[in-house]
Amino acid sequence: MNNLVSLPRVALGLMFAATCGATLAATPEEKIASAMSAAPPSVSATATIMDWPAEEGADMTELRKGDNGWTCLPDMPATSGNDPMCLDATWMAWAHAWMNKLPLTNTSMGFGYMLQGGTPESNTDPYATEPTDSNEWISETLPHLMILVPDNAMLEDLPTDHTNGGPWVMWKDTPYVHIMAPMPAYQP
């Protein structure tokens, strides 16, 4: 799976539901620049750039064809944070599973960049939409690299505390578990 165009035309999950029906005011050039700001130029310069669907049931639009196996997406206009992202093929499969609440087994390492930060979210519940007493809400998301591993047992001894100043495991004990590694902010 190289891009999200192949996702079924169903509700795209919580992350994307906020963008459905949103008015997208940015020009294609602004969206491409936003998407490219998610990762280092060595990744984003030749990545495929996709745009979020303008309405529920619509497919994503390819803004620029790439050739390096990465897919970058601009900031989601209906979310509170600046959250463009660049994902490799393993992360694209992960996103498909997560958005459609499907089981997931990673068979290889996967990497995703969000060097502009993101939108507040739960550290423990992949589908939480607001803070609760038990979901370890992350109110400030910093620029980060996301890492998937082929064997979740590799994550057992890693911290889950997002305030530890270094990498941590997010969404532990769910099919969507991954490592969040803080990175320096990227200024295009």
Side-chain angles (χ1 to χ4, degrees), residues 73-85:
L73 301 141
D75 175 46
M76 291 177 277
T79 59
S80 63
N82 183 20
D83 45 18
M85 61 190 71

Side-chain angles (χ1 to χ4, degrees), residues 133-155:
D133 290 340
S134 63
N135 71 4
E136 296 181 32
W137 197 254
I138 302 171
S139 58
E140 180 183 359
T141 56
L142 302 172
H144 56 277
L145 171 67
M146 302 173 295
I147 304 166
L148 294 171
V149 297
D151 180 2
N152 290 346
M154 298 169 67
L155 306 176

Side-chain angles (χ1 to χ4, degrees), residues 95-186:
H96 172 76
W98 174 68
M99 289 183 294
N100 293 286
K101 297 184 178 180
L102 298 172
L104 175 69
T105 302
N106 294 325
T107 58
S108 63
M109 295 289 295
F111 298 92
Y113 287 97
M114 291 185 73
L115 296 185
Q116 298 303 313
T119 296
E121 63 188 325
S122 169
N123 190 44
T124 59
D125 180 350
Y127 297 107
T129 59
E130 61 187 35
T132 67
D133 290 340
S134 63
N135 71 4
E136 296 181 32
W137 197 254
I138 302 171
S139 58
E140 180 183 359
T141 56
L142 302 172
H144 56 277
L145 171 67
M146 302 173 295
I147 304 166
L148 294 171
V149 297
D151 180 2
N152 290 346
M154 298 169 67
L155 306 176
E156 286 304 314
D157 293 329
L158 296 178
T160 58
D161 179 3
H162 68 278
T163 65
N164 75 8
W168 77 93
V169 175
M170 182 177 217
W171 298 343
K172 187 174 182 171
D173 299 324
T174 77
Y176 316 109
V177 62
H178 59 281
I179 299 169
M180 296 282 283
M183 301 286 289
Y186 173 67

Side-chain angles (χ1 to χ4, degrees), residues 63-84:
L63 298 173
R64 186 187 77 193
K65 179 80 173 148
D67 63 8
N68 68 355
W70 287 80
T71 301
C72 298
L73 301 141
D75 175 46
M76 291 177 277
T79 59
S80 63
N82 183 20
D83 45 18

